[in-house]
Amino acid sequence: MTKRFLGICTLILILGGSTPVSAQTAEPQYTYRWLIQPALQIDHFSRSVKAEGEDDINRIKSTLISVNLGFEIREDFILGLTVGYSFNNFNAITFRRLPISLELDVGDIGAFVAGVDLFKSLFHLKNMEIDLFGRAFYMFGAKPVWDIPGLSVSGQAEGRPGWLSVEAGPMVTYTGFGYFLPFVKIGYSKIWATFKMDETIENLTGSEEKKLTGLSDLLINLGFNYDVSQAFTIRVEGSLMPHADFKDLDFGLGFKFIYFLN
Amino acid sequence: MNVKKSPLLILILCLTVLAAFGFTRQRTKKQIPHTRFVTGQKIPTVALSAPPSVRSIRQSSDQVLVKFKSDLSIQTRIMTLSHFRSNVIRHIPQIDVYQIQIPGDLTVDEMLILLEQNPDVEYAEPNPFCYTCVSPNDTLFQYQYALYNSAQSIGIPGSPTGKLRADIKATEGWEETKGSDSIVVAVLDSGLDFEHPDMVDIAFSRGRDFVNDDDDAMDDLGHGTYISSIIAANSNNGEGIAGITWNCKILPVKVIAEDGSGLYVWMIEAIIWAADQGAHVINMSIGGDAASQTLEDALKYAYQKGVVIVASAGNDSGLVIYPAAYDSYVLAVAATDYNDTRTPWSNSGSQIDVAAPGDRIIGCYPVWALPGGTLPYVFGFGTSASAAYTSGLAALIVSIKPWLRPNEVLDIIRFSSDDVNGAEYPGFDEFVGHGRINMEKALVPIKIK
């Protein structure tokens, strides 16, 4: 999963690098001063996941608090980097390949998150702005240890969870209301997660790694930007992610407080 | 005269002392195995209501078990046995041990001395009898204390009131699995009543009868049927009792004769045979008081083939019997009662791994063995029943986790047990080992918080 995240980062950087090159070729005299957009983000999602070869459907719920630094490296092209902390709930995920089976009921697991995002404005059509967006978040670094209750001897379980969430697609923003800019995104959204659990009960040891894949691929996101001032914008957005069989929905919420340094 | 007689008296006294010393040394040397056996057990001094067993070891009077050194040719072995005027009854190739018929003019002890003096012999030992660990408690047997008085609490069936949830949590365990029909539990016992109405189609095959040397392990005693029913009686069928596994199969292996005893060599061959047949679990609600290298070799053979071996600890308030006492390969099971209390007759020792209910346990019994009009079920007691419950649990674990090795299955059973006597003996102890088995914790995912 780390490799997948690094691959996505590389792809975004390549995209970020290649787009201005063509612009430079088209407009050789054009010079642009980088704009920096620091932001505070709060995100929450609940995603259904399923392990390979299993029937059980579990949910990963996560709340992320992060700071985002957006670099407007070309006009209408913003590349952002995110770091932060997350609270992740993997409850009910069950490890039946361990010698003594375990089920997570541990509540939130704290872990670091890192992310990259990009935004590219494509064109304007009357009061409509057509853009491209992409975002990837990677949760990592947690290694919690729990006691296994109820045994005749002491035993411990050590978890190593992680997830990677990716979303990308077109975005349409209505600009006719002035400071209030509603938008809709429709695109691809996916989450992959792993959870490795090591069990040690005296000489009895075992290890199991769950590879979990999200059940939803489609993202329908509604939100708005509200320009409080020239330098400060609030973004609120909500996401619906129907499962491939359309029998259930995942959802997400996001708040972003953006400051424009000029 | 006194002066003259004094040296003679002194000489006689010296000879007497030397003879006594020599005799004592000789006795001590001969008793080494027994002494080691006793001291190794850590005889408990508390919580036993009866003294350790003083039962003498019964053994075949005309047979011994012999293992030659592995580099000895077959011809030399035959010549050696001819020299001793002994006939080979059978050879167990997997562990290279011979069951020998000794000449009529020699005792077993004399034969063993002769064999042990031969440098080509790795070891030679008697062929003892094993016996069942449960005394079936039919409607009258509970009153027949003259036949078997173990100081057990005797009551009319149904009269005791147990403590709430002092059980092995079977209903919770069944939520996770009721067992797989591909998992086979070999029951080394008196066979199986294939016609019992509550045990239809539970047999993997007609099994093997080592007592009569044929391929039909029909039960002519009842004990094997009783034990097999605890493990795998037809369940959820609207009649009778439920087995601990609903779907696993029984491989009946007859090693106990109609009189309730059997030769070690039958048990030894049965262990090897069951392992070779692909049994996943071997239940031995039987045992004997004698240690046997051959028996240990057979257990090792099965264990190394991936078989989980469970055996009863014994019911005479004494030391753990064999094969349960072979700690490296066998899970030794003691008995608890309906209050989660260790039964006073359950054997104890450092080899005890876990305990399971063994008092007033209902099980199937052959129809032919009961009076007409009686339901074919009896109440019994003993660590036999305890071992059967534990074997059933082992089969359920193997059903859902067939990749586990025997030692892992045994550890799961040990570590998931409830320390029911923890208030008095916290942690592992010689009476219930790690505790009374718990199917829920062994099978159902434990929530970590």
Side-chain angles (χ1 to χ4, degrees), chain A residues 39-184:
Chain A
L40 175 68
Q41 292 183 158
I42 301 171
D43 295 278
H44 176 81
F45 66 74
S46 172
R47 302 292 299 261
S48 303
V49 292
K50 197 171 167 181
E52 288 173 3
E54 293 184 15
D55 296 329
D56 292 345
I57 295 173
N58 296 110
R59 278 193 178 271
I60 298 174
K61 298 173 189 172
S62 188
T63 301
L64 297 75
I65 300 170
S66 58
V67 290
N68 176 278
L69 212 52
F71 301 97
E72 192 168 344
I73 54 178
R74 293 289 164 194
E75 188 172 23
D76 294 333
F77 187 95
I78 301 167
L79 181 67
L81 299 175
T82 302
V83 290
Y85 200 74
S86 61
F87 301 90
N88 308 277
N89 191 315
F90 293 83
N91 279 2
I93 290 180
T94 305
F95 299 88
R96 285 189 163 87
R97 290 192 69 84
L98 294 174
I100 288 185
S101 303
L102 299 176
E103 179 183 337
L104 284 172
D105 190 26
V106 298
D108 289 338
I109 300 170
F112 296 107
V113 286
V116 292
D117 58 82
L118 65 80
F119 172 87
K120 175 74 177 93
S121 182
L122 294 178
F123 56 88
H124 293 264
L125 196 67
K126 294 187 178 176
N127 288 330
M128 308 287 267
E129 182 181 315
I130 313 299
D131 313 307
L132 276 178
F133 76 95
R135 185 164 85 153
F137 269 125
Y138 178 51
M139 170 252 181
F140 64 99
K143 208 174 174 182
V145 177
W146 304 282
D147 286 334
I148 303 171
L151 301 179
S152 63
V153 294
S154 67
Q156 280 80 39
E158 181 181 285
R160 267 172 282 177
W163 54 254
L164 170 65
S165 121
V166 172
E167 52 190 49
M171 172 178 173
V172 179
T173 305
Y174 182 73
T175 56
F177 295 139
Y179 299 123
F180 180 72
L181 303 164
F183 59 79
V184 57

Side-chain angles (χ1 to χ4, degrees), chain B residues 183-189 204 227-228 231 249-254 270-271 273-275 277-285 307-310 391 395:
Chain B
I183 299 302
V184 176
V185 182
V187 177
L188 276 54
D189 213 292
F204 176 70
I227 292 303
S228 299
I231 298 170
K249 296 296 182 187
I250 295 292
L251 178 62
V253 192
K254 185 170 175 60
I271 293 165
W273 182 84
Q277 294 298 305
H280 301 89
V281 178
I282 291 178
N283 181 84
M284 302 179 78
S285 293
V307 184
V308 179
I309 308 167
V310 179
S391 290

Side-chain angles (χ1 to χ4, degrees), chain B residues 7-24:
Chain B
L8 183 64
L9 189 63
I10 290 167
L11 182 65
I12 291 168
L13 277 171
C14 288
L15 287 173
T16 306
V17 169
L18 282 172
F21 180 68
F23 177 70
T24 307

Side-chain angles (χ1 to χ4, degrees), chain A residues 94 96-106 146-153 157 197 201-202 204-205, chain B residues 176 400-401 403-404 407-408 411-412 414-419 427 434 441-449:
Chain A
T94 305
R96 285 189 163 87
R97 290 192 69 84
L98 294 174
I100 288 185
S101 303
L102 299 176
E103 179 183 337
L104 284 172
D105 190 26
V106 298
W146 304 282
D147 286 334
I148 303 171
L151 301 179
S152 63
V153 294
M197 187 73 92
I201 308 165
E202 294 201 339
L204 184 64
T205 59
Chain B
E176 187 71 12
I400 55 173
K401 297 177 180 177
W403 58 84
L404 292 175
N407 63 310
E408 293 175 311
D411 274 347
I412 290 170
R414 291 180 185 118
F415 299 157
S416 60
S417 298
D418 291 331
D419 189 9
H434 285 278
K441 285 193 278 183
L443 298 170
V444 181
I446 294 175
K447 284 189 177 183
I448 49 175
K449 294 176 181 293

Side-chain angles (χ1 to χ4, degrees), chain B residues 59-64 87 89 100-104 106-108 127 263:
Chain B
Q59 61 189 38
S60 169
S61 59
D62 59 355
Q63 295 175 16
V64 295
N87 298 319
I89 299 174
I100 304 298
Q101 181 88 39
I102 65 175
L106 286 178
T107 65
V108 168
N127 187 13
L263 282 170

